Amino acid sequence: MLSTIIFLPLVGAVVIALLPKDRTPLHRGVAAAFSGLCLALSLTVYFAFQAGTPGIQFQERAAWVPSLGISYFVGVDGLNLPMVLLTSILTFLAVLSSWRIQLRTKEYFALLLILETGVLGVFSSLDFLLFFLFWEVELIPMYLLIGIWGGPRREYAAIKFVVYTLVGSSLMLLGILALYFQSSPRTFDMIALSQMQWSPAFASVVFLLLFVGFAVKLPVFPFHTWLPDAHVEAPTAVSVLLAGVLLKMGGYGILRANVGILPSAAEQFAGLIAVLAVINVLYGAAASMVQRDLKSLVAYSSVSHMGYVLLGVAALSSVSLSGAALQMFTHGTITGLLFLLVGLVYERTHTRQIADMSGLAPRMPVVATLFVMAGLASLGLPGMSGFIAEFTVFIGSYGAIPLATILGAFGVVITAGYTLWMLQRVFFGPPTERWASLGDARGIEIIPLVSLIAIIILIGVYPAVLTTVVDHGIATLVTRLGL
């Protein structure tokens, strides 16, 4: 089942590649069908998952290079299963939101599906070398999607994304190889590696190598500068996937590898991670306050919100780690919705400059309503999923790092400031004749919007649908930490 989920989008990409170039409706239909089927299978696995049963479930293992201890090993627990589901949801909705793409649709939809396979492989792999291979596979379609279908500075943004990612990947590969050569017997099996003991000096060095690799993707200050450029230049659907799932690869890697395999080093560097978390939260929020581009504002808000993931990791408690895992899922849905809405506004106004927009709410009531709801979810309004994740992080981290938690909580105040300021300027200012003829979201455009806001409200009202699964994965980390 899990291998089918991983490779089904790749099969869809091959099918699209075999179709004639001038059959755009067929390209869209095939992409929607394969990504939709992948989503259906992911939902099946999610609801069939036994949260009360410890250990890896739906695992598949096959010898790949037995002489080197390399295997095809995939499986899910409460840590990566929500990420698999999130990837399937956002990819399907990204395909639907790309219905109006006209430029080279055959290549575009094929690359979206290849990207889905790469990300699903990262989240599902439990062999470290397989994990790394999928990590690199994801890089190629993302580079092409930004470089071909992006904005005016797309080449610069795509190359910058590749350079940053490759540097981080190189350091991560060094850490992976160090673990392999130091393990006995030599193995890339993440589960086996997590049960081994490491010398303090070795664990510290490997922890830093892996952490920097994951920090670039998360992204952590000062490795974050590729993100705003990539977001601003990327097409809407690609921004949804970039913020919704690609950033989460970094957070997932930190939880799975840094905390799960090297818990003693995680305790040693907890103070440093807490400092970086506070910087991320406050710097990202402050940078969002001064953005003039609507898409850039949402991009910097992602830097801020990923700081809460770091804050949960720094505290190293069962509650804070659960909050970090919840934050990754909830941020994916909220920011995905925000980027879809920004894309609709840009498509109709042909500008992303906040100063150029005013009084759009009467012209775009559906978009305005959903934008307000997404903004309130982003700032952590009770009753929405953002509140559940952030509240869990704060409750879990205050006992261990009270000052960092207080400073991080202040980020919510700044988030409320720039979010409400943006909403007032764009939607509720005085109406202008320039936007008198704007159209609202309609047809297939509404499906992704309504789907994401429904998920946001569902988790906000009934968080157990997500927390029950997440707690299953965190329990393993807690055991490893000796808590």
Side-chain angles (χ1 to χ4, degrees):
M1 177 72 80
L2 201 54
S3 291
T4 303
I5 292 172
I6 295 170
F7 293 106
L8 189 62
L10 183 60
V11 174
V14 173
V15 172
I16 293 174
L18 295 175
L19 296 174
K21 286 188 175 182
D22 57 349
R23 302 293 296 276
T24 295
L26 191 55
H27 302 156
R28 297 169 182 159
V30 171
F34 276 89
S35 60
L37 182 56
C38 183
L39 172 58
L41 292 176
S42 298
L43 285 168
T44 301
V45 170
Y46 189 86
F47 289 109
F49 184 80
Q50 301 295 318
T53 304
I56 303 298
Q57 301 180 34
F58 295 95
Q59 61 177 298
E60 303 167 26
R61 188 194 295 267
W64 190 5
V65 188
S67 60
L68 297 179
I70 303 173
S71 63
Y72 174 82
F73 182 23
V74 296
V76 291
D77 61 4
L79 203 57
N80 58 354
L81 180 55
M83 296 296 99
V84 170
L85 179 60
L86 177 65
T87 302
S88 301
I89 291 171
L90 291 183
T91 304
F92 176 64
L93 298 182
V95 170
L96 296 184
S97 69
S98 302
W99 223 245
R100 293 192 178 188
I101 291 287
Q102 297 295 328
L103 173 65
R104 301 174 66 175
T105 55
K106 176 178 177 177
E107 293 87 349
Y108 176 85
F109 286 108
L111 288 171
L112 276 184
L113 294 181
I114 294 171
L115 178 64
E116 182 177 17
T117 285
V119 177
L120 287 172
V122 168
F123 289 134
S124 302
S125 297
L126 295 175
D127 179 277
F128 230 149
L129 185 62
L130 185 66
F131 172 93
F132 181 78
L133 292 176
F134 276 118
W135 185 283
E136 294 301 289
V137 164
E138 160 272 321
L139 181 63
I140 300 169
M142 181 57 71
Y143 168 76
L144 293 173
L145 286 166
I146 297 174
I148 297 175
W149 290 272
R153 299 174 70 244
R154 56 186 178 271
E155 293 90 352
Y156 169 78
I159 292 173
K160 189 173 183 179
F161 165 74
V162 169
V163 170
Y164 270 72
T165 302
L166 284 179
V167 171
S169 298
S170 300
L171 296 175
M172 181 172 62
L173 180 59
L174 289 176
I176 293 171
L177 292 175
L179 287 172
Y180 171 76
F181 286 114
Q182 195 69 15
S183 61
S184 180
R186 289 181 178 175
T187 182
F188 289 102
D189 186 327
M190 289 184 174
I191 305 303
L193 291 172
S194 69
Q195 295 168 353
M196 297 180 182
Q197 299 297 321
W198 313 98
S199 67
F202 173 81
S204 298
V205 173
V206 174
F207 183 95
L208 291 175
L209 289 172
L210 295 176
F211 182 80
V212 172
F214 297 136
V216 170
K217 187 72 78 175
L218 191 59
V220 177
F221 180 91
F223 310 118
H224 69 286
T225 58
W226 64 269
L227 181 64
D229 290 315
H231 269 312
V232 168
E233 301 305 323
T236 297
V238 178
S239 288
V240 170
L241 294 177
L242 182 59
V245 294
L246 265 72
L247 304 189
K248 311 309 178 294
M249 289 163 54
Y252 170 73
I254 290 173
L255 289 172
R256 175 71 74 188
N258 287 93
V259 178
I261 298 176
L262 304 164
S264 60
E267 294 172 348
Q268 177 186 348
F269 290 105
L272 173 62
I273 297 173
V275 171
L276 292 173
V278 171
I279 294 173
N280 250 53
V281 170
L282 298 182
Y283 167 79
S288 297
M289 286 282 289
V290 299
Q291 297 306 308
R292 300 179 179 180
D293 184 292
L294 192 57
K295 205 172 187 183
S296 185
L297 182 149
V298 179
Y300 274 103
S301 75
S302 294
V303 176
S304 178
H305 284 88
M306 288 299 94
Y308 295 123
V309 175
L310 284 180
L311 187 65
V313 171
L316 292 176
S317 71
S318 60
V319 177
S320 71
L321 291 171
S322 294
L326 290 171
Q327 175 70 2
M328 290 194 295
F329 187 95
T330 60
H331 176 266
T333 55
I334 294 169
T335 306
L337 177 57
L338 285 170
F339 275 117
L340 286 175
L341 292 166
V342 170
L344 288 175
V345 171
Y346 175 69
E347 185 178 295
R348 285 154 173 76
T349 63
H350 303 292
T351 181
R352 290 192 301 263
Q353 296 301 307
I354 296 173
D356 293 343
M357 293 179 273
S358 179
L360 299 188
R363 320 294 185 190
M364 311 174 73
V366 172
V367 170
T369 300
L370 293 174
F371 220 129
V372 170
M373 296 177 72
L376 294 175
S378 180
L379 62 84
L381 183 75
M384 294 188 173
S385 60
F387 171 78
I388 299 299
E390 292 175 10
F391 183 76
T392 305
V393 169
F394 296 148
I395 291 295
S397 62
Y398 182 79
I401 42 175
L403 179 59
T405 304
I406 292 170
L407 292 174
F410 184 69
V412 176
V413 178
I414 305 177
T415 300
Y418 69 71
T419 299
L420 296 176
W421 170 82
M422 177 271 293
L423 291 172
Q424 192 278 328
R425 290 285 301 275
V426 173
F427 293 103
F428 302 106
T432 61
E433 287 300 318
R434 180 181 178 183
W435 311 124
S437 60
L438 290 183
D440 205 355
R442 59 186 181 275
I444 200 169
E445 295 173 334
I446 296 179
I447 296 175
L449 306 180
V450 173
S451 300
L452 288 176
I453 200 66
I455 294 171
I456 291 168
I457 294 174
L458 172 64
I459 296 174
V461 174
Y462 184 61
V465 71
L466 180 60
T467 57
T468 302
V469 175
V470 167
D471 289 344
H472 172 278
I474 297 302
T476 303
L477 298 182
V478 169
T479 302
R480 184 72 173 131
L481 289 163
L483 300 177

